[in-house]
Amino acid sequence: MKKILFLLFLSGLHITSYAQKEKFGKYNANEMAYSEVDFEPDADAVMLFEEGVSKFYGDVFETSYHFRMKILKESGISRGDVTIPFYSGDNRTEEISSVKALITNFEGGQTQTIKVEKDQIFEVEVANGWKEVRITFPNVKVGSIIEYTYKKTDKNITMLDGWTFQNDIPTIMSTYSITMIPQLEYKMIGQGEKYNTTSEKTASNGTYSWTLRKLNSLKAEPYMKNFADYRERVEFQLSRYQKTLTEWEDVLQNWVVLGNEVLKDYDEKGYFRTAPLDKATVGADFEGSTELEKAQKAYYYIQENFQINEERGFFPDQWINQLMKSKIGSPLELDLALMGILTSLGIECHPILVGSKGSGRSDLVPFPFINQFNSMVLLAKLDGNEYLLDLEDPIAPFGYVDLDKHVKAGLLLIKDNSQLVPISIPHNSNSIFISQLKFDEANNLMVEGNLRQSYYEGLVTAQRSHDLEKSNRPLYELFTLDPNWEVVDFEVEDKMKESNYTTTNYKLRIPGPESDNLDLIMLSPFKIATFSKNPFTQDFRIFPVDFGFAFSETYTALVEIPSGYELDDYPLKESITMENGEVVFQYNPIIMNDKVQISAKVEIRKPKIDVRQYGNLKYFMESIATKMNAPIVFKKVVDP
């Protein structure tokens, strides 16, 4: 699916028809009979209708919400517990009120409607200023329609909530309207294929509305976890406001102003002051013969002495002295502390705001819309070279940037000179499998292998092995192994910091057939290869395929011909490439005197593949899986 951004001032909307308002608790014959979503038949529930209506009341922004959902399968019954999150903060920034809810069942030609009582609607504290209103619907069953409405007021009128037209279940109709006031002027961003092609838009007397129909659910697909970047959505940011009858005040009108606002917050919380850092790092060794050596020592000092909490965003919650005392902070706070240390060492270093994958938008809009950022990396100039630094991952080596931050551009923050800059993160990620296979006297297959993975492939293995060790689970869970296989030996050597790779050594015993008088032995040497199974089994796909980064995997298996057997058949040499060169596959057998060597290589050259190429990719990956599972056949030697 091609993602389309649509940017305009609100006065430019085209006028079309407006969707009819649905009445609370009143259902038509189609809704009562609805049993399956034609464009997503496996859905366990469906949003029949949802509506948001936003208006200004003085300096408060109020939105009325209306949701109507139907349960289609047993697995959807759990959706009868509804949660409405909101941010209250210290001054009740947002508030939820006027909650109404009911459930309707249709059985034996009878309609039964139950109003949800007040004791089944309650508010709970969550954390860090967040609260939830929870609604528990009674007697939820297949065929139930659950419906609820509420109002939310918001004192923050600079960035408005906007509206997302999709849910984690399919949506039949989603409509949103907003009524503006003359004293406030907003810029809007709309995104999504249906938003730009089939949405019904209206504009009349300061009220603007959008209606979208037949929307697929937002849910993860194989090799696409950042599906939120492709959601159908509208967002608003204050552009300017009227101060007097003749005077207007601009708000964040360019990158410099936005950058200065963010830097001001960092400065107010002390992240440009060296005294707290100098005091907290007394005795730390940051000396080195080069700027690179100094920066590496500073990076590992922060990584080894501070813990990462769950807070995210590009504004710090703690002051620098609080962070230095607690030694627990968000990735952004740790990055800012690293920036302070590098600056105190005379090294030029600046923050870059980024919108990480999954935050709602993977491509930046070329004007200062602040909601498109949610995270940060550092740009350090070391010995004349530029390095991107990131403390998002607690074990990532110096110079690695979290994969979700592998985006096209970011906002470089320099006082009075902030600007968009391209982001490029070169690396040569690959995996090399080398294995030797031979049969013992009991016909068991003995496999001895070595796997070396470099850069981001290696980092993934280092992260997974670290998590397994932390949870006291065996390292061989890195592979998907048949439960009948015996793990003789398995170890992982992490050389990421020193040499940018990990090495995995393993020995396996695979039980052979009980009979020792087989006419044929068949062996597939690449059973544990990543693409020995096709990960793309869906008939159709909603989102692009995103492998995360370009990489290659090379497999070499040296198979010893069993005693008393001879080579009968083996897969032929093959080299294939997808039409646009996104994926390349090579397969090459070499026959020796008493051995067979099989080599296979998969290259993902283009990490993001358009959804329109999904059919081709699925077929291509099925071809790879078939070849990777093709057996070598050995035939018993018949005595003359």
Side-chain angles (χ1 to χ4, degrees):
M1 178 183 297
K2 184 179 180 182
K3 185 182 70 172
I4 301 171
L5 292 175
F6 189 60
L7 169 64
L8 43 70
F9 282 99
L10 285 169
S11 58
L13 281 174
H14 180 63
I15 298 177
T16 61
S17 61
Y18 178 63
Q20 182 179 353
K21 185 175 178 63
E22 298 291 326
K23 293 184 179 180
F24 189 66
K26 300 295 182 182
Y27 313 118
N28 59 45
N30 289 335
E31 291 175 320
M32 290 187 284
Y34 205 97
S35 61
E36 184 180 270
V37 182
D38 59 349
F39 56 92
E40 204 167 316
D42 61 340
D44 61 14
V46 61
M47 190 67 70
L48 296 171
F49 168 83
E50 62 178 12
E51 180 183 39
V53 178
S54 296
K55 296 180 180 180
F56 288 89
Y57 293 94
D59 58 355
V60 174
F61 183 67
E62 180 183 274
T63 301
S64 298
Y65 296 85
H66 184 181
F67 297 94
R68 179 179 296 171
M69 177 171 55
K70 187 165 189 179
I71 308 302
L72 303 178
K73 291 182 172 65
E74 289 286 337
S75 57
I77 290 177
S78 61
R79 297 182 182 277
D81 293 326
V82 172
T83 299
I84 306 168
F86 65 102
Y87 181 74
S88 178
D90 296 327
N91 62 346
R92 300 170 71 180
T93 303
E94 296 179 348
E95 292 186 81
I96 301 291
S97 63
S98 304
V99 182
K100 293 195 302 180
L102 56 82
I103 178 170
T104 302
N105 289 310
F106 310 93
E107 292 182 323
Q110 301 295 317
T111 300
Q112 180 189 30
T113 299
I114 303 173
K115 178 183 177 183
V116 180
E117 300 299 333
K118 289 184 178 180
D119 61 349
Q120 294 170 306
I121 303 173
F122 49 95
E123 183 178 295
V124 297
E125 297 271 357
V126 182
N128 301 317
W130 283 91
K131 297 182 179 181
E132 291 177 350
V133 169
R134 297 178 182 176
I135 307 173
T136 302
F137 286 86
N139 199 28
V140 182
K141 59 184 68 176
V142 175
S144 297
I145 293 180
I146 65 176
E147 190 169 15
Y148 57 100
T149 64
Y150 63 93
K151 292 181 179 179
K152 182 168 77 171
T153 56
D154 191 345
K155 295 177 182 177
N156 178 7
I157 61 172
T158 302
M159 280 78 68
L160 307 183
D161 277 348
W163 186 259
T164 297
F165 296 92
Q166 286 171 286
N167 300 281
D168 63 347
I169 56 175
T171 301
I172 304 303
M173 184 172 75
S174 179
T175 182
Y176 177 69
S177 68
I178 181 170
T179 300
M180 295 294 178
I181 56 177
Q183 296 80 14
L184 301 175
E185 190 174 278
Y186 285 83
K187 286 185 177 180
M188 183 205 75
I189 297 177
Q191 75 172 26
E193 184 179 43
K194 286 199 171 185
Y195 172 85
N196 195 59
T197 57
T198 62
S199 64
E200 303 157 31
K201 304 178 181 132
T202 76
S204 179
N205 298 321
T207 297
Y208 307 89
S209 71
W210 300 262
T211 297
L212 277 67
R213 303 178 189 273
K214 288 195 170 185
L215 299 155
N216 284 102
S217 57
L218 276 171
K219 58 185 178 182
E221 295 178 312
Y223 290 100
M224 173 50 77
K225 66 176 183 178
N226 54 306
F227 55 87
D229 293 340
Y230 299 87
R231 60 189 177 179
E232 308 278 347
R233 179 163 173 78
V234 289
E235 297 177 82
F236 306 88
Q237 178 175 295
L238 187 63
S239 171
R240 62 177 188 161
Y241 62 92
Q242 190 173 11
K243 294 179 64 176
T244 67
L245 289 175
T246 59
E247 186 180 4
W248 287 76
E249 180 78 14
D250 290 326
V251 178
L252 302 177
Q253 72 270 31
N254 57 51
W255 295 118
V256 170
V257 173
L258 174 57
N260 284 348
E261 286 293 320
V262 177
L263 290 170
K264 179 181 177 182
D265 183 82
Y266 296 168
D267 186 37
E268 288 177 348
K269 288 188 169 66
Y271 285 92
F272 291 108
R273 302 174 196 168
T274 58
L277 288 167
D278 292 340
K279 182 178 179 181
T281 59
V282 170
D285 176 20
F286 300 136
E287 294 301 317
S289 59
T290 65
E291 291 180 327
L292 177 60
E293 289 181 8
K294 295 176 182 178
Q296 288 173 330
K297 287 185 175 181
Y299 175 90
Y300 288 118
Y301 172 83
I302 296 290
Q303 188 180 72
E304 293 166 4
N305 291 279
F306 288 74
Q307 297 180 35
I308 299 174
N309 62 27
E310 296 181 356
E311 296 298 320
R312 294 297 183 269
F314 61 89
F315 284 112
D317 288 328
Q318 301 181 85
W319 291 63
I320 183 62
N321 54 354
Q322 293 174 308
L323 175 64
M324 291 295 107
K325 182 178 180 180
S326 70
K327 296 198 182 306
I328 301 173
S330 68
L332 172 122
E333 290 168 344
L334 301 190
D335 281 347
L336 289 175
L338 174 60
M339 178 189 70
I341 294 175
L342 295 182
T343 301
S344 69
L345 295 173
I347 295 172
E348 185 179 352
C349 183
H350 304 284
I352 299 179
L353 299 185
V354 296
S356 63
K357 294 180 179 180
S359 65
R361 185 177 295 104
S362 57
D363 294 324
L364 291 182
V365 177
F367 75 91
F369 196 84
I370 195 169
N371 277 356
Q372 61 190 317
F373 303 108
N374 76 325
S375 193
M376 189 185 79
V377 297
L378 294 178
L379 175 65
K381 294 186 178 180
L382 309 173
D383 308 310
N385 298 312
E386 292 186 345
Y387 289 80
L388 290 176
L389 307 179
D390 180 26
L391 283 156
E392 182 84 26
D393 190 310
I395 68 169
F398 178 89
Y400 279 69
V401 174
D402 187 77
L403 286 172
D404 285 342
K405 299 178 186 178
H406 282 224
V407 293
K408 297 177 182 177
L411 178 60
L412 176 64
L413 299 180
I414 301 176
K415 184 173 175 58
D416 298 329
N417 194 30
S418 295
Q419 56 189 293
L420 286 185
V421 294
I423 292 177
S424 177
I425 304 173
H427 59 92
N428 185 24
S429 297
N430 60 68
S431 298
I432 300 175
F433 291 77
I434 299 176
S435 59
Q436 296 183 13
L437 300 88
K438 63 180 180 179
F439 290 90
D440 64 12
E441 295 179 355
N443 283 334
N444 296 312
L445 179 63
M446 306 301 296
V447 181
E448 186 170 344
N450 170 276
L451 165 62
R452 175 167 289 191
Q453 295 172 290
S454 62
Y455 289 91
Y456 282 96
E457 287 279 83
L459 181 57
V460 170
T461 292
Q463 291 166 329
R464 291 179 60 198
S465 59
H466 177 81
D467 291 341
L468 288 170
E469 289 179 333
K470 193 174 180 181
S471 57
N472 294 316
R473 292 163 60 189
L475 287 176
Y476 61 75
E477 289 187 15
L478 287 170
F479 293 166
T480 302
L481 303 178
D482 188 301
N484 294 318
W485 296 1
E486 178 187 350
V487 179
V488 179
D489 190 22
F490 199 102
E491 61 179 8
V492 177
E493 185 180 14
D494 185 353
K495 291 284 188 180
M496 291 300 298
K497 284 186 180 180
E498 303 90 339
S499 306
N500 288 310
Y501 68 80
T502 62
T503 300
T504 302
N505 297 302
Y506 57 91
K507 293 181 181 179
L508 307 173
R509 180 184 290 110
I510 301 175
E514 294 182 1
S515 173
D516 58 358
N517 191 30
L518 296 173
D519 291 332
L520 296 175
I521 295 178
M522 292 187 291
L523 169 65
S524 298
F526 299 138
K527 282 289 187 181
I528 61 175
T530 303
F531 297 109
S532 62
K533 291 184 179 179
N534 185 0
F536 306 109
T537 58
Q538 301 163 273
D539 292 332
F540 71 95
R541 189 177 173 98
I542 299 170
F543 304 113
V545 173
D546 190 351
F547 289 101
F549 54 94
F551 63 93
S552 67
E553 294 187 352
T554 303
Y555 301 85
T556 299
L558 186 63
V559 184
E560 185 176 298
I561 298 175
S563 177
Y565 287 81
E566 62 183 0
L567 181 64
D568 182 60
D569 195 13
Y570 57 91
L572 298 178
K573 182 176 181 179
E574 188 170 9
S575 180
I576 54 176
T577 304
M578 273 190 68
E579 182 180 355
N580 297 319
E582 298 98 331
V583 186
V584 175
F585 176 66
Q586 296 173 322
Y587 189 97
N588 187 34
I590 299 176
I591 312 304
M592 305 176 186
N593 290 331
D594 59 347
K595 296 181 178 66
V596 181
Q597 179 176 295
I598 305 289
S599 296
K601 184 176 183 179
V602 180
E603 292 183 81
I604 307 297
R605 294 181 175 178
K606 184 179 179 182
K608 186 179 289 186
I609 299 177
D610 193 283
V611 69
R612 290 170 293 188
Q613 292 294 318
Y614 175 68
N616 293 335
L617 177 65
K618 179 182 177 182
Y619 176 80
F620 192 88
M621 286 300 187
E622 188 61 38
S623 300
I624 292 177
T626 300
K627 198 73 174 184
M628 296 293 269
N629 283 283
I632 305 170
V633 181
F634 303 106
K635 181 175 65 174
K636 191 173 184 65
V637 176
V638 179
D639 293 331

